[in-house]
Amino acid sequence: MVQPIQKILVTGGAGYIGSTTCVALLEAGFSIVVVDNFSNSSRTPLDRVLEIAPGSLVTYEVDVRDTQGLGEVFAVESVDAVVHFAGLKAVGESVANPLNYYDVNVGGAVALLQVMQEHDVRNLVFSSSATVYGDPEVSPIVESAPLVGTNPYGRTKLIIENMLRDLAAADPSWSIACLRYFNPVGAHPSGRIGEDPLGVPNNLMPFIMQVAVGRRKDLVVFGGDYPTPDGSCIRDYIHVMDLALGHLAAIRALGDISGCEEINLGTGTGSSVFEVHEAAQRAVGETIPMRVGGRRPGDAASCFADTSRAMRLLDWRATRTLDDMCADAWRWQSQNPTGYQ
Ligand code: NAD
Ligand code: UFG
């Protein structure tokens, strides 16, 4: 008989998406073992996770590339499944320092999978990204669309995805949900945990929120001459709470997954940069300075998900609106103007 999943190891659980997912998992009654090396986070989000959702959560400061350290965790904690968030995620940084990205992302995944195999744990939810679709020819994007890595970060995700497919083909006792996130934004509605980028944010929502809170002068819209209705790029922004609930749904669906399933997590609706800016102004209740600048190299004009697979396999859909995303992002930013510091 298949054992029900009770204890989940969450790598990168102190990060933005990981900490929000820990809340969802604790509220659903799971026990959690977090493994994080805190290279892009601290223990504070985990303390706040437990404030929001008191429950069973233990933390190990271990690097996912460290097979010995990971093995010790698996030996002590009998986990039933792993959610693998840990990794590096900045496209520009991956171009400047590709070896570090291959080492942490690909090396970390290899090490984790080896230790999981040794300890007979074959239930995995993996953080992939819509970046694997490159510059998509059509949106909505279905999971069978062509895959292409357009930068080192994207190529690490593609390599890991291929590795997971090879592993599942070699041993179908693996149950793997490979979740391709679109654009996660927003924060837990408590305002206690959220996205805390180091330095100048690369992503749109944290940048807008830092302008709104007075940390940056103005938002520069990267290109107003794209072939879209208002000329700015279109993306599928998804509330991080919806994303967290998508992971919960994936954990619950693992028992029905044999092998590796790729699943888009998005809303299925695209919003332009100008629309996000307007929604952010509604949430903040003030004008947010903005100007239109040149295009950012590598940006696709339009990218949004076909979400039918997630509905079918996970019985999950995103329910939160762009206004919800901006309201929660603003609550987090205004209550924590300098993030966790
Ligand atoms: P994050 O940086 O906030 O969280 C990642 C966590 O992993 C951090 O706590 C960091 O300290 C930890 N970590 C990094 N390297 C580690 C290592 N070698 N060993 C142990 N821990 C390590 O990032 P996030 O936004 O929460 O993203 C989580 C995952 O989702 C990543 O794999 C990312 O590629 C993927 N993803 C993110 C987005 C996004 O826009 N945020 C989009 C698509 C996919
Ligand atoms: N943008 C601006 N000004 C800014 C920041 C962003 O106009 O200051 C625009 C971008 O040009 C883009 C949109 O806002 O049109 C969203 O940009 P993000 O950087 O927030 O998100 P991307 O879609 O470019 O990238 C995200 C993740 C990547 C991932 C990719 C595909 O950050 O890691 O989605 O999944 F690879």
Side-chain angles (χ1 to χ4, degrees):
M1 205 187 80
V2 182
Q3 290 295 320
I5 292 173
Q6 290 172 336
K7 193 185 272 196
I8 302 170
L9 187 138
V10 180
T11 73
Y16 169 47
I17 305 171
S19 58
T20 316
T21 302
C22 283
V23 170
L25 296 175
L26 287 172
E27 283 176 344
F30 291 100
S31 296
I32 297 182
V33 178
V34 168
V35 164
D36 204 301
N37 69 351
F38 302 113
S39 59
N40 197 34
S41 58
S42 68
R43 286 180 187 267
T44 310
L46 294 170
D47 295 339
R48 295 189 182 185
V49 162
L50 282 169
E51 265 173 33
I52 301 168
S56 165
L57 184 151
V58 292
T59 304
Y60 292 87
E61 185 169 351
V62 172
D63 192 299
V64 283
R65 291 165 292 180
D66 171 6
T67 43
Q68 194 186 329
L70 274 182
E72 285 165 14
V73 175
F74 274 79
V76 176
E77 307 281 354
S78 30
V79 303
D80 307 304
V82 173
V83 185
H84 182 38
F85 292 106
L88 304 177
K89 61 167 183 176
V91 172
E93 196 182 64
S94 78
V95 174
N97 195 350
L99 281 184
N100 201 30
Y101 272 67
Y102 285 101
D103 183 19
V104 172
N105 290 2
V106 179
V110 172
L112 175 68
L113 292 166
Q114 282 172 335
V115 176
M116 287 177 70
Q117 190 162 263
E118 267 165 36
H119 291 265
D120 226 5
V121 178
R122 291 186 175 78
N123 291 315
L124 174 70
V125 176
F126 172 63
S127 297
S128 190
S129 165
T131 192
V132 297
Y133 298 120
D135 186 353
E137 275 165 31
V138 281
S139 280
I141 307 171
V142 290
E143 286 83 351
S144 55
L147 303 181
V148 53
T150 51
N151 54 65
Y153 166 70
R155 283 189 276 277
T156 66
K157 290 293 179 191
L158 211 45
I159 290 170
I160 299 166
E161 280 208 2
N162 283 328
M163 193 163 68
L164 295 176
R165 286 185 275 274
D166 287 341
L167 185 61
D171 177 359
S173 69
W174 280 86
S175 296
I176 303 173
C178 181
L179 304 180
R180 294 177 179 157
Y181 313 156
F182 279 67
N183 290 59
V185 296
H188 188 271
S190 64
R192 296 293 288 155
I193 54 171
E195 190 170 12
D196 183 16
L198 284 176
V200 181
N202 298 306
N203 297 114
L204 179 64
M205 186 66 84
F207 198 100
I208 294 183
M209 290 299 151
Q210 291 196 6
V211 175
V213 85
R215 283 174 67 182
R216 319 236 160 242
K217 190 161 81 54
D218 54 8
L219 167 70
V220 181
V221 177
F222 295 149
D225 57 351
Y226 281 95
T228 59
D230 67 15
S232 67
C233 290
I234 291 177
R235 293 288 182 277
D236 187 339
Y237 298 94
I238 174 169
H239 197 299
V240 68
M241 285 295 297
D242 276 328
L243 197 65
L245 293 172
H247 289 75
L248 177 62
I251 286 283
R252 289 182 168 147
L254 282 178
D256 297 322
I257 293 177
S258 169
C260 177
E261 296 281 4
E262 300 81 12
I263 304 166
N264 288 341
L265 293 188
T267 63
T269 304
S271 303
S272 73
V273 178
F274 290 127
E275 286 169 335
V276 175
H277 175 251
E278 277 165 25
Q281 292 191 137
R282 281 195 294 278
V284 173
E286 277 175 30
T287 301
I288 300 174
M290 182 261 291
R291 66 189 159 92
V292 179
R295 290 185 178 192
R296 181 171 70 177
D299 269 346
S302 184
C303 175
F304 56 95
D306 180 301
T307 58
S308 45
R309 201 141 203 264
M311 284 187 235
R312 189 163 48 81
L313 293 185
L314 307 183
D315 193 21
W316 166 94
R317 71 169 73 212
T319 60
R320 289 158 180 84
T321 65
L322 184 59
D323 282 320
D324 297 331
M325 301 176 209
C326 291
D328 290 333
W330 178 236
R331 190 174 302 104
W332 155 253
Q333 186 72 69
S334 53
Q335 289 180 12
N336 307 268
T338 54
Y340 288 110
Q341 278 84 43

